[in-house]
Amino acid sequence: MEKPLKILQVESSARKTDSVTRRLSQDLIGRLAANRPVNVVRRDVSPGLPVIDEAWVAANFTDPAERNGEQKARLALSDELVAELKEADILVIGAPVYNFGIPASLKAWVDLIARARETFRYTQSGPEGLLKGKKAYVVLASGGTEVGSQIDFASGYLRHILGFVGIDDVEMIAADRLMASADTAIAMAEAALDDMEERFKAAA
C-alpha cells in the first residue's frame, strides 16, 4: 500500500466563510488526495498566536538540557508547531494579503517556527535551513495588491522565509486584485490548480 503523504495545512484568513484562500487551499489538497493517500494536519492560526517576548527568547537560547520547567512551558507551543512542520512532506499555506503583507497571525507562526538548531542552523558560510526535501504551496488572495508587484510584501517574504528554513521548492497560487475582477482572478487560480493536478496525475 502506498505510503500517505503528510500534509500540513496552515490557514490564516480572518474569514471562516467566504475565504478565497481557504477554499483554494482545500481544493488543492483535494486534488492531491485524489491521486494518492494523504494525512492532513490542519493548523488554523487566525485566532492568533502568542508573540515572542523576552522570556521566550531567553528560553529559546538556553541549551535544551539546561531549560527549567518554566522555559519548557514557554516553548511548548513552538515545539508543537515545529514538530508539525518537521513531520510534513507538503506544506500548504493559505495567506490573504492584508495591507500589502501577511496577516499578523501568520507572522507569529513564522516567528515560532524559525528557530536556530531546530529549523535552521548557523554555519561558517551563513545560515542553513534544516527542513530540506519538502514541498510548499502558498495560496494567496488579495483585494487590490498585484502579487509579484513592488507593493506585494507577502509572496516574496514567504518564499524567502521558507527557503531560510530549507524549503526551496515553493509554488505560488494567486487570486489577486479580487476587488477589480474576482471572477477572472479566481479562474486564473483554478487554472493553475488544473495544471498542478495534471502534474500530480503524471507523477502518480
Side-chain angles (χ1 to χ4, degrees):
M1 184 175 178
E2 191 173 13
K3 184 179 178 181
L5 278 174
K6 296 178 182 179
I7 299 175
L8 173 59
Q9 179 182 6
V10 179
E11 292 294 352
S12 60
S13 174
R15 293 181 176 181
K16 295 297 191 295
T17 57
D18 299 323
S19 165
V20 173
T21 55
R22 289 178 188 272
R23 179 161 66 85
L24 291 174
S25 294
Q26 201 58 43
D27 188 359
L28 169 58
I29 291 171
R31 293 170 191 247
L32 283 166
N35 291 281
R36 64 174 294 177
V38 300
N39 288 332
V40 182
V41 172
R42 293 182 173 86
R43 173 65 68 169
D44 188 347
V45 302
S46 65
L49 295 173
V51 296
I52 62 174
D53 56 14
E54 185 175 13
W56 188 96
V57 171
N60 186 44
F61 282 97
T62 299
D63 186 285
E66 298 177 2
R67 288 173 187 152
N68 59 33
E70 182 179 347
Q71 289 174 321
K72 291 177 182 177
R74 279 281 184 177
L75 297 175
L77 175 59
S78 175
D79 289 340
E80 184 178 345
L81 298 175
V82 167
E84 289 176 350
L85 194 49
K86 286 181 176 180
E87 281 292 312
D89 302 306
I90 294 177
L91 173 63
V92 177
I93 298 177
V97 179
Y98 291 163
N99 301 313
F100 314 106
I102 63 173
S105 59
L106 186 55
K107 178 58 168 64
W109 178 83
V110 168
D111 290 341
L112 291 169
I113 63 91
R115 288 176 57 187
R117 302 184 303 275
E118 293 289 344
T119 56
F120 72 94
R121 65 182 178 183
Y122 292 108
T123 72
Q124 289 184 341
S125 56
E128 177 189 2
L130 300 177
L131 302 180
K132 296 179 174 66
K134 301 180 187 297
K135 170 80 176 184
Y137 296 97
V138 178
V139 180
L140 297 129
S142 72
T145 301
E146 180 182 358
V147 171
S149 70
Q150 289 185 336
I151 61 170
D152 165 25
F153 301 100
S155 63
Y157 171 75
L158 287 172
R159 187 182 293 278
H160 178 80
I161 197 66
L162 290 170
F164 182 75
V165 297
I167 305 175
D168 296 317
D169 188 358
V170 180
E171 198 158 345
M172 301 277 176
I173 303 98
D176 57 359
R177 295 176 290 179
L178 290 164
M179 297 300 290
S181 182
D183 290 344
T184 299
I186 292 173
M188 290 180 66
E190 289 176 342
L193 292 178
D194 289 340
D195 179 65
M196 285 181 192
E197 187 169 19
E198 291 302 314
R199 284 184 275 133
F200 298 156
K201 290 177 180 178

